[in-house]
Structures are given as C-alpha cells and as structure tokens.
Coordinates of all heavy atoms in Angstrom, one line a residue:
Q23 N 0.8 -1.2 0.0 CA 0.0 0.0 0.0 C 0.9 1.2 0.0 O 2.0 1.2 0.3 CB -0.9 0.0 1.2 CG -0.2 0.2 2.5 CD -1.2 0.1 3.7 OE1 -2.2 -0.5 3.6 NE2 -0.8 0.7 4.8
S24 N 0.3 2.3 -0.3 CA 0.9 3.6 -0.3 C 1.2 3.9 1.2 O 0.4 3.7 2.1 CB 0.0 4.7 -0.8 OG 0.6 6.0 -0.6
E25 N 2.4 4.5 1.5 CA 2.8 4.7 2.9 C 3.1 6.1 3.2 O 3.9 6.4 4.1 CB 4.0 3.8 3.2 CG 3.7 2.4 3.5 CD 3.1 2.2 4.9 OE1 3.6 2.7 5.9 OE2 2.2 1.4 4.9
K26 N 2.4 7.0 2.6 CA 2.7 8.4 2.9 C 2.4 8.7 4.3 O 1.3 8.6 4.8 CB 1.8 9.3 2.0 CG 2.3 9.2 0.5 CD 1.4 10.0 -0.4 CE 1.9 9.8 -1.8 NZ 0.8 9.9 -2.8
G27 N 3.4 9.1 5.1 CA 3.3 9.3 6.5 C 3.0 8.0 7.3 O 2.4 8.1 8.4
G28 N 3.3 6.9 6.7 CA 2.9 5.6 7.3 C 3.8 5.2 8.4 O 4.8 5.8 8.8
K29 N 3.5 4.0 9.0 CA 4.2 3.5 10.2 C 5.6 3.1 9.9 O 6.5 3.3 10.8 CB 3.4 2.3 10.7 CG 3.9 1.6 11.9 CD 3.0 0.5 12.3 CE 3.5 -0.3 13.5 NZ 2.7 -1.4 13.8
H30 N 5.9 2.5 8.8 CA 7.3 1.8 8.6 C 8.3 2.8 7.9 O 9.5 2.6 8.1 CB 7.1 0.5 7.9 CG 6.2 -0.4 8.6 ND1 6.6 -1.0 9.8 CD2 5.0 -0.9 8.3 CE1 5.6 -1.8 10.2 NE2 4.6 -1.8 9.3
N31 N 7.8 3.6 7.1 CA 8.6 4.6 6.4 C 9.8 4.0 5.5 O 10.7 4.7 5.3 CB 9.2 5.6 7.4 CG 8.1 6.5 8.0 OD1 7.2 6.9 7.4 ND2 8.2 6.6 9.3
I32 N 9.7 2.8 5.2 CA 10.6 2.2 4.2 C 9.8 1.3 3.3 O 8.7 0.8 3.6 CB 11.7 1.4 4.9 CG1 11.1 0.2 5.8 CG2 12.6 2.2 5.8 CD1 12.1 -0.7 6.3
P33 N 10.3 1.0 2.1 CA 9.6 0.2 1.2 C 9.4 -1.2 1.8 O 10.4 -1.8 2.3 CB 10.5 0.1 -0.1 CG 11.3 1.4 0.0 CD 11.5 1.6 1.5
H34 N 8.2 -1.7 1.7 CA 7.9 -3.0 2.3 C 6.6 -3.6 1.8 O 5.9 -3.0 1.1 CB 7.8 -2.9 3.9 CG 6.6 -2.1 4.3 ND1 6.6 -0.7 4.3 CD2 5.3 -2.4 4.7 CE1 5.4 -0.2 4.7 NE2 4.6 -1.3 4.9
I35 N 6.4 -4.9 2.1 CA 5.2 -5.6 1.8 C 4.5 -6.1 3.1 O 5.2 -6.2 4.1 CB 5.4 -6.8 0.8 CG1 6.3 -7.8 1.5 CG2 6.0 -6.4 -0.5 CD1 6.3 -9.2 0.9
H36 N 3.2 -6.4 2.9 CA 2.5 -7.1 4.0 C 2.1 -8.5 3.4 O 1.6 -8.5 2.3 CB 1.2 -6.3 4.3 CG 1.4 -5.0 4.9 ND1 1.2 -4.8 6.3 CD2 1.9 -3.8 4.4 CE1 1.5 -3.5 6.5 NE2 1.9 -2.9 5.4
A37 N 2.4 -9.5 4.1 CA 2.1 -10.9 3.7 C 1.2 -11.6 4.7 O 1.4 -11.4 5.9 CB 3.4 -11.7 3.4
I38 N 0.2 -12.3 4.2 CA -0.7 -13.0 5.1 C -0.7 -14.5 4.7 O -0.7 -14.8 3.5 CB -2.1 -12.4 4.9 CG1 -2.1 -10.9 5.2 CG2 -3.1 -13.2 5.7 CD1 -3.4 -10.2 4.7
Y39 N -0.6 -15.3 5.7 CA -0.7 -16.7 5.6 C -1.6 -17.3 6.7 O -1.2 -17.2 7.9 CB 0.7 -17.4 5.6 CG 0.6 -18.9 5.5 CD1 0.3 -19.5 4.3 CD2 0.8 -19.7 6.6 CE1 0.3 -20.9 4.2 CE2 0.8 -21.1 6.6 CZ 0.5 -21.7 5.4 OH 0.4 -23.0 5.3
G40 N -2.8 -17.7 6.4 CA -3.7 -18.1 7.4 C -4.0 -17.0 8.4 O -4.3 -15.9 8.0
D41 N -3.7 -17.2 9.7 CA -3.9 -16.2 10.7 C -2.6 -15.4 11.0 O -2.6 -14.6 11.9 CB -4.4 -16.9 12.0 CG -5.8 -17.4 11.9 OD1 -6.6 -16.9 11.1 OD2 -6.1 -18.4 12.7
N42 N -1.6 -15.7 10.2 CA -0.3 -15.0 10.4 C -0.1 -13.9 9.5 O -0.5 -14.0 8.3 CB 0.9 -16.0 10.2 CG 0.8 -17.2 11.2 OD1 0.8 -17.0 12.4 ND2 0.6 -18.4 10.6
E43 N 0.5 -12.8 9.9 CA 0.8 -11.7 9.1 C 2.3 -11.3 9.3 O 2.7 -11.3 10.5 CB -0.1 -10.5 9.3 CG 0.2 -9.4 8.3 CD -0.9 -8.3 8.3 OE1 -1.9 -8.4 9.0 OE2 -0.6 -7.3 7.7
M44 N 3.0 -10.9 8.3 CA 4.3 -10.4 8.4 C 4.4 -9.2 7.6 O 3.8 -9.0 6.5 CB 5.3 -11.4 7.8 CG 5.8 -12.4 8.8 SD 7.3 -13.4 8.3 CE 7.5 -13.3 6.6
V45 N 5.3 -8.3 8.0 CA 5.6 -7.1 7.3 C 7.1 -7.2 7.0 O 7.9 -7.4 7.9 CB 5.4 -5.8 8.1 CG1 5.8 -4.6 7.3 CG2 3.9 -5.7 8.4
V46 N 7.5 -7.2 5.7 CA 8.9 -7.4 5.3 C 9.4 -6.3 4.4 O 8.7 -5.9 3.5 CB 9.0 -8.8 4.6 CG1 10.5 -9.0 4.2 CG2 8.4 -9.9 5.3
S47 N 10.5 -5.7 4.8 CA 11.1 -4.6 4.0 C 11.5 -5.3 2.6 O 11.8 -6.5 2.6 CB 12.3 -4.0 4.6 OG 13.3 -4.9 4.8
L48 N 11.6 -4.5 1.6 CA 12.0 -5.0 0.3 C 13.4 -5.5 0.2 O 13.8 -6.2 -0.7 CB 11.8 -3.9 -0.8 CG 10.3 -3.5 -1.0 CD1 10.2 -2.7 -2.3 CD2 9.3 -4.7 -1.0
D49 N 14.2 -5.2 1.3 CA 15.5 -5.8 1.3 C 15.6 -7.1 2.2 O 16.6 -7.6 2.4 CB 16.6 -4.8 1.8 CG 16.3 -4.3 3.2 OD1 15.4 -4.8 3.9 OD2 17.0 -3.3 3.7
G50 N 14.4 -7.6 2.6 CA 14.3 -8.9 3.2 C 14.3 -8.9 4.7 O 14.3 -10.0 5.3
N51 N 14.3 -7.8 5.4 CA 14.2 -7.7 6.8 C 12.8 -7.8 7.3 O 11.9 -7.1 6.8 CB 14.9 -6.5 7.4 CG 16.4 -6.4 7.1 OD1 17.0 -7.4 7.4 ND2 16.9 -5.3 6.7
I52 N 12.5 -8.7 8.2 CA 11.2 -8.9 8.8 C 11.0 -7.7 9.8 O 11.8 -7.6 10.8 CB 11.0 -10.2 9.5 CG1 11.2 -11.3 8.4 CG2 9.7 -10.3 10.2 CD1 11.2 -12.7 9.0
L53 N 10.0 -6.9 9.6 CA 9.7 -5.7 10.4 C 8.7 -6.1 11.5 O 8.8 -5.5 12.6 CB 9.2 -4.6 9.6 CG 10.1 -4.1 8.4 CD1 9.4 -3.1 7.6 CD2 11.5 -3.6 9.0
E54 N 7.8 -7.0 11.2 CA 6.7 -7.4 12.2 C 6.2 -8.7 11.8 O 6.2 -9.1 10.7 CB 5.5 -6.4 12.1 CG 5.7 -5.1 12.7 CD 4.4 -4.3 12.6 OE1 3.3 -4.8 12.5 OE2 4.5 -3.0 12.7
G55 N 5.8 -9.5 12.8 CA 5.1 -10.7 12.6 C 6.0 -11.9 12.3 O 7.3 -11.8 12.3
Q56 N 5.4 -13.0 12.0 CA 6.1 -14.2 11.6 C 5.2 -15.2 10.9 O 4.0 -15.1 11.0 CB 6.8 -14.9 12.8 CG 5.8 -15.4 13.8 CD 6.5 -16.0 15.0 OE1 7.5 -15.6 15.4 NE2 5.8 -17.0 15.7
F57 N 5.8 -16.1 10.1 CA 5.2 -17.2 9.4 C 5.9 -18.4 9.9 O 7.0 -18.4 10.4 CB 5.4 -17.1 7.9 CG 4.5 -16.2 7.1 CD1 3.5 -15.4 7.7 CD2 4.7 -16.0 5.8 CE1 2.7 -14.6 7.0 CE2 3.9 -15.2 5.0 CZ 2.9 -14.5 5.6
P58 N 5.3 -19.6 9.6 CA 6.0 -20.8 9.8 C 7.3 -20.8 8.9 O 7.3 -20.1 7.9 CB 5.0 -21.9 9.3 CG 3.7 -21.3 9.5 CD 3.9 -19.8 9.2
N59 N 8.3 -21.5 9.3 CA 9.6 -21.4 8.6 C 9.5 -21.7 7.1 O 10.1 -21.0 6.2 CB 10.6 -22.4 9.2 CG 12.0 -22.2 8.8 OD1 12.4 -21.1 8.6 ND2 12.7 -23.3 8.5
K60 N 8.7 -22.7 6.7 CA 8.6 -23.0 5.2 C 8.0 -21.9 4.4 O 8.5 -21.5 3.4 CB 7.7 -24.3 5.1 CG 7.5 -24.7 3.6 CD 6.6 -25.9 3.5 CE 6.3 -26.3 2.1 NZ 5.4 -27.4 2.0

C-alpha cells in the first residue's frame, strides 16, 4: 500500500498466511510478525 506518513517509512510488503501476518522490507528484513519457517 501507499505509505505516505505511514508506520514503517521504508519500502515493504504485507504478507498474510492463514492467521499469520508479516511485514517485510523490500531488502528482506522482517519488520513485524512471523510465518512458519517453510
């Protein structure tokens, strides 16, 4: 999503798997949340 004035202030995605959500920067750092390892 557009992040003008947003929480993370760096390029990132939000990923959802079942009840899990992760926020990951475009350089691969996990900013929030977790998924199963696979």
Side-chain angles (χ1 to χ4, degrees):
Q23 67 185 26
S24 172
E25 281 284 315
K26 293 177 182 150
K29 178 178 178 180
H30 302 292
N31 296 317
I32 59 172
H34 67 278
I35 61 162
H36 294 253
I38 300 163
Y39 177 74
D41 291 333
N42 301 299
E43 184 170 353
M44 274 196 338
V45 179
V46 183
S47 67
L48 296 191
D49 61 7
N51 291 314
I52 298 172
L53 304 174
E54 285 182 22
Q56 64 183 30
F57 278 0
N59 193 41
K60 178 180 177 183

